[in-house]
Amino acid sequence: YFPEEQYHKRHEVWLARYAAFLLPVASCMVETKKRPRPLSEHISHELRLRAKDAQTVSRLHDSSLRLRELVKRDSPEDDRLAIGIVLRQIGPIWRIALLLGLTYELPLCSVASTYSRGVPETTGDLLVDGDQTGQILLDTYKKFEEAVVQLGMEGVWDLKQLVDGNKLKTLLPGIPKGPVFATVMDRQIEWQIANPEGTLAECQAWLTREFSRYAR
């Protein structure tokens, strides 16, 4: 028996190691009867992994690939919205995804050395032994992690719409139900991520301008 907090910590470590194990196939897809499926998810299914864990590993891989591209761009302030979208996809374990992105780029010897010490919690806990290229990569990822925190992106996965569903129907009485409604709600979240200081009134004004066809 483990206390709940300790259990979640151990499970995150397990997920990180399993995701790292499958990292070489992170971008691979396989054809199935229903739809294309991530190869890592297919392997996890064959190994009788819990469906929820398999999906989490797949999301970690997808998020790590997207974060790698954002790290390379080296413009977190300009990429605030893109970062927010990735963090909402992966949630509180975003640092694992970031570490996976770094692991993918580190020379093999550095990766083996790093994980022999256990799974680091942040990029600041990584060690790169005598490897100048690896150290430059590590510094780059640490800088990106710090920028994400400084931008106030922690907890963005819990962000709620300023205008809830019922209020949106009043604000945009012509809006249809279904996918269109969901899209407008998602776009509202994106506006809030891009405008962290935005007020309810400003959000309402943006919604009526952006979706004026439903305002009547």
Side-chain angles (χ1 to χ4, degrees), residues 39 65 75 86 88 93 95 101 118 129 135 177:
L39 179 55
L65 294 171
S75 55
V86 177
R88 280 184 69 84
I93 57 175
R95 283 187 174 85
D129 298 326
Q135 189 60 54
K177 297 179 181 178

Side-chain angles (χ1 to χ4, degrees), residues 25-151:
V25 299
S27 59
C28 299
M29 303 290 287
V30 293
E31 291 292 336
T32 64
K33 292 181 180 180
K34 295 183 178 180
R35 58 177 175 81
R37 187 180 190 185
L39 179 55
S40 62
E41 196 173 312
H42 178 73
I43 293 173
S44 299
H45 175 75
E46 293 298 313
L47 294 175
R48 300 293 187 269
L49 212 66
R50 289 193 314 170
K52 182 178 180 181
D53 288 337
Q55 291 166 3
T56 299
V57 168
S58 180
R59 285 191 296 113
L60 278 168
H61 284 164
D62 181 62
S63 298
S64 72
L65 294 171
R66 294 165 68 184
L67 286 173
R68 271 174 52 205
E69 294 304 313
L70 289 167
V71 170
K72 290 177 182 177
R73 284 173 55 86
D74 192 27
S75 55
E77 290 188 4
D78 294 335
D79 290 329
R80 180 186 181 88
L81 176 56
I83 293 170
I85 290 173
V86 177
L87 263 59
R88 280 184 69 84
Q89 175 194 24
I90 195 60
I93 57 175
W94 68 274
R95 283 187 174 85
I96 295 179
L98 186 62
L99 286 168
L100 288 171
L102 173 57
T103 300
Y104 191 88
E105 295 197 65
L106 282 175
L108 186 59
C109 58
S110 295
V111 174
S113 175
T114 292
Y115 279 89
S116 69
R117 301 183 178 95
V119 178
E121 293 187 10
T122 70
T123 54
D125 296 329
L126 280 170
L127 297 173
V128 181
D129 298 326
D131 184 342
Q132 186 174 4
T133 302
Q135 189 60 54
I136 292 173
L137 278 170
L138 174 58
D139 292 342
T140 301
Y141 273 75
K142 285 172 65 176
K143 178 184 174 183
F144 181 84
E145 179 187 5
E146 291 167 359
V148 170
V149 175
Q150 289 172 359
L151 286 171

